[in-house]
Amino acid sequence: DDGLVIISAHDSDDSVATRAIVLDFNGKNFVEWHNCTFVGSNSAFVIGNTAYATATAYEGVVINNCTVIATGYTWGVKFALNASTTPTASGIKITRCTIQGGLQILHDTNATAHVNTKILIDSNRILGIGGVNPLQIDRNTGTTTYSVGGITISNNFIQSAFQYGISASYIKNTTN
């Protein structure tokens, strides 16, 4: 079960959310979160990053056995990899979580080669809410010559309230 740690966008249980983002990784590596509950607002994603300017590997990032609750039409978890780079050891690992609001992995059109992101999305419950596909792997803008791949998706329960359970564009070497 989830731990007693609750990280929220709200100042109190009965208040309106005062922060848009609960946890912003902002390009940081080797960060682990276990057994936490994250409660978001309805204006932005709950967990992820806003650093769209640089290629990010997100090496050693672990979100394990957590509950992520997004409200409104927002993402529960959102990472922008940009052109991305290949992590030395492991990339993002999202395991045994319940994610309300969906999970989004974005890359851009600036990659100079195909990139193996070493992302693992395993044994989660991913619940899409209106206007958001539960699992989306896509580019930020435009078309691209190279792809960002190396994403393993296994043993997940995915429920959509929008168009697709999984929406993937311009990816390579991805396992289902």
Side-chain angles (χ1 to χ4, degrees):
D1 291 341
D2 299 329
L4 298 175
V5 177
I6 298 174
I7 302 171
S8 175
H10 305 263
D11 286 337
S12 65
D13 291 340
D14 58 352
S15 71
V16 175
T18 54
R19 286 163 293 287
I21 302 164
V22 177
L23 177 61
D24 187 347
F25 278 89
N26 198 23
K28 302 297 185 275
N29 295 314
F30 304 105
V31 180
E32 295 191 14
W33 290 89
H34 300 270
N35 305 314
C36 295
T37 297
F38 299 91
V39 181
S41 70
N42 62 359
S43 60
F45 57 88
V46 181
I47 297 176
N49 74 310
T50 57
Y52 293 103
T54 59
T56 308
Y58 285 104
E59 182 148 1
V61 171
V62 175
I63 303 170
N64 176 59
N65 202 36
C66 293
T67 298
V68 179
I69 302 168
T71 59
Y73 301 112
T74 60
W75 296 101
V77 178
K78 177 179 182 176
F79 282 98
L81 306 175
N82 305 302
S84 193
T85 57
T86 298
T88 305
S90 64
I92 299 168
K93 290 183 179 180
I94 302 170
T95 58
R96 296 178 28 188
C97 295
T98 297
I99 301 169
Q100 175 185 307
L103 190 156
Q104 184 182 50
I105 306 290
L106 293 175
H107 60 89
D108 66 18
T109 59
N110 296 318
T112 57
H114 296 300
V115 178
N116 177 359
T117 59
K118 301 179 182 177
I119 293 174
L120 174 64
I121 301 168
D122 181 61
S123 301
N124 300 289
R125 291 178 302 265
I126 305 171
L127 310 171
I129 54 180
V132 175
N133 293 319
L135 180 55
Q136 182 174 14
I137 303 164
D138 206 348
R139 66 203 180 302
N140 288 340
T141 58
T143 59
T144 184
T145 303
Y146 300 103
S147 62
V148 173
I151 302 169
T152 301
I153 303 165
S154 60
N155 302 317
N156 295 284
F157 172 81
I158 299 171
Q159 181 176 345
S160 179
F162 190 50
Q163 295 175 329
Y164 309 105
I166 300 175
S167 173
S169 301
Y170 298 98
I171 56 176
K172 193 173 186 90
N173 300 326
T174 300
T175 35
N176 296 320

